[in-house]
Amino acid sequence: MNEEPKEPARVGQGMDYGEQADVQQVHAAVQREKREPRVGAEPLSIWLIAIYGLAIFFGGAYLGRYSGNFSSGGLDPMGAPPPAKKAVAGPAGGEQAAELSPHDRGKKVFSANCQTCHQANGQGVPGQYPPLAGSEFTTGGSRRMGMIVLKGLQGPVKVKGQQYGTAVMQPWDKTLTDKQIADVMTYERSEWGNSASPLTPEQIAALRKELANHPESFTEHDILAAPDEDLSGGAPAGGAPAKPG
């Protein structure tokens, strides 16, 4: 009896999940797998984004306030216009720019050039720099004081009964103008309880010319040999300027 040949069983290709396998479960398992990270595609941290946002906000606020509208005058302090002077009532109801008094100008000169040695209170440094407050050279005739300021002072000197001699005062004739010297002397002669006559640039110019042939600093002997008098052409003795209110 002849038997018909049987067909060989087919072998499934690929993964065999069986007839009962659920395809959706397989897909779900694949979806649960994490993707491999890619370089340069990592998400930014929320804190980093917040920091960037704050930096941009405050940077914009700063530029908006201090940029000067990005004009050349606002960005260049040297090119900015000078501050306007305070206007005061002038003749016939007009206005004119208020100027500093000689006392106030002299205070600026003193702070920049003299305060380090003689101190802001005019008391100086014991044994080194003599005081200006109550000094016989400051409150006496302006000639002696002008000689010291213009040509300087070297060697020991006695002020208010105390000896000073460890420091030398430099001459200011090559550094300060006639107006600056007049202003600073006016300030010193009317500050710290002092009350002496003010000085004018014309008085200092005349004294500068008179001392032109004296190349060296004065000594105490030189100063005491000069007459204790006010320079000619100024206010009368005792006419100290009133301090600005």
Side-chain angles (χ1 to χ4, degrees):
M1 193 173 166
N2 295 330
E3 295 181 358
E4 295 181 0
K6 297 180 180 181
E7 294 182 0
R10 294 182 179 179
V11 179
Q13 296 180 355
M15 184 179 292
D16 185 7
Y17 294 101
E19 295 180 357
Q20 304 299 326
D22 190 347
V23 177
Q24 293 182 353
Q25 293 180 358
V26 175
H27 288 179
V30 174
Q31 291 177 355
R32 285 196 299 270
E33 295 292 334
K34 294 183 179 180
R35 296 181 180 179
E36 294 184 1
R38 291 181 298 170
V39 177
E42 300 85 353
L44 291 176
S45 169
I46 187 66
W47 293 107
L48 190 58
I49 295 175
I51 292 174
Y52 285 160
L54 289 175
I56 294 174
F57 173 79
F58 286 110
Y62 181 87
L63 289 176
R65 181 170 183 178
Y66 298 106
S67 65
N69 295 326
F70 295 98
S71 63
S72 59
L75 297 177
D76 184 8
M78 301 302 295
K85 294 183 178 180
K86 183 179 179 181
V88 296
E95 291 186 351
Q96 59 184 8
E99 294 185 359
L100 294 177
S101 66
H103 179 276
D104 290 340
R105 293 196 305 265
K107 183 177 182 179
K108 291 180 176 293
V109 178
F110 178 85
S111 299
N113 301 281
C114 316
Q115 182 171 304
T116 301
C117 298
H118 296 290
Q119 305 300 302
N121 58 6
Q123 296 299 324
V125 178
Q128 294 183 343
Y129 305 107
L132 300 178
S135 166
E136 54 267 39
F137 294 107
T138 307
T139 59
S142 57
R143 171 174 290 276
R144 289 181 174 180
M145 184 180 182
M147 292 170 61
I148 295 174
V149 175
L150 279 170
K151 291 298 182 178
L153 185 66
Q154 60 181 346
V157 61
K158 182 178 291 186
V159 178
K160 298 173 63 175
Q162 299 295 323
Q163 193 74 22
Y164 299 85
T166 60
V168 177
M169 177 175 170
Q170 72 176 76
W172 292 100
D173 58 339
K174 300 294 192 300
T175 307
L176 301 179
T177 65
D178 295 335
K179 183 177 181 179
Q180 289 175 317
I181 292 178
D183 289 342
V184 74
M185 288 180 61
T186 297
Y187 170 75
E188 293 169 353
R189 288 164 66 84
S190 60
E191 190 69 12
W192 314 300
N194 296 340
S195 180
S197 59
L199 276 297
T200 66
E202 291 75 18
Q203 289 176 292
I204 301 302
L207 182 60
R208 184 193 295 270
K209 185 177 180 180
E210 180 182 332
L211 302 177
N213 294 327
H214 189 89
E216 299 179 353
S217 297
F218 289 111
T219 64
E220 182 184 34
H221 180 269
D222 298 328
I223 298 300
L224 295 179
D228 187 14
E229 63 183 11
D230 283 330
L231 295 171
S232 61
K243 295 182 182 179

